[in-house]
Amino acid sequence: MLRLLAVVLFFAFLTGCASSGRVTQMTDSKIVGERVVALDAPSAPWVIEIQNHLRQKGFKVLRWSSTTRVSERTSATRTESYNQAEARYVLVVDGFAPYDWANRCFGGGFRFSHISTDLVDTATNGTILNVNGSGYSENCPPMSGTIFSDIANALDAVWAK
């Protein structure tokens, strides 16, 4: 009996380390339109996991918000150049998960000291949604968390069906 209690407490401790994300939605209105999101994210190996989870939810994920350079003549003496946005919504990602052998999970997941994502509407420059958390990501048995799924599910919930 004592051994069973020790095993249960051990697994409760391990799963307690798998923190999930906290979602804060800044607006009640749903986004209507194409499910296109650009990423403003670091060059880290875990960013592809966010992209994959978003694609599974039906999003088109662009790595940059604009790639087209446009020039317009505004007057006889003035020409303005700017980058034309291909995506109205940008997912700004900030996080830290060391990926050296001592901090990686056997299943290929990551242990985040922190991760924070903001969905920004470039037309209004306003934050629509924030998801933040820490702990283990998916594929970290037996301590797997739901960090990438939380981000994808939160974005999916903001778009009108």
Side-chain angles (χ1 to χ4, degrees):
M1 182 67 176
L2 186 57
R3 188 173 279 175
L4 177 65
L5 181 61
V7 169
V8 169
L9 288 175
F10 176 73
F11 280 108
F13 172 75
L14 285 180
T15 57
C17 295
S19 175
S20 62
R22 290 169 297 285
V23 177
T24 306
Q25 191 167 338
M26 311 298 185
T27 179
D28 292 331
S29 60
K30 299 280 187 182
I31 299 171
V32 178
E34 289 185 281
R35 296 166 68 91
V36 178
V37 176
L39 290 180
D40 179 3
S43 293
W46 45 266
V47 172
I48 192 70
E49 294 296 329
I50 294 173
Q51 289 176 315
N52 290 339
H53 278 78
L54 289 172
R55 284 189 180 111
Q56 288 172 358
K57 291 289 184 179
F59 286 92
K60 179 180 177 185
V61 181
L62 305 174
R63 191 58 179 105
W64 309 108
S65 62
S66 61
T67 57
T68 305
R69 188 81 177 150
V70 176
S71 295
E72 289 184 359
R73 180 173 294 268
T74 57
S75 68
T77 59
R78 183 176 168 101
T79 301
E80 291 184 7
S81 296
Y82 59 91
N83 290 333
Q84 184 177 19
E86 294 180 37
R88 177 172 174 178
Y89 301 98
V90 176
L91 186 65
V92 180
V93 181
D94 176 42
F96 179 71
Y99 37 90
D100 60 328
W101 68 271
N103 290 297
R104 285 295 299 273
C105 300
F106 289 116
F110 302 89
R111 185 179 71 175
F112 283 88
S113 63
H114 74 279
I115 186 166
S116 179
T117 61
D118 288 317
L119 181 64
V120 177
D121 182 347
T122 60
T124 64
N125 201 26
T127 301
I128 297 171
L129 174 76
N130 174 271
V131 181
N132 63 64
S134 63
Y136 292 91
S137 71
E138 289 83 347
N139 299 322
C140 281
M143 301 173 284
S144 292
T146 57
I147 290 174
F148 303 133
S149 297
D150 291 342
I151 294 168
N153 290 336
L155 264 70
D156 184 47
V158 171
W159 253 266
K161 304 285 185 221

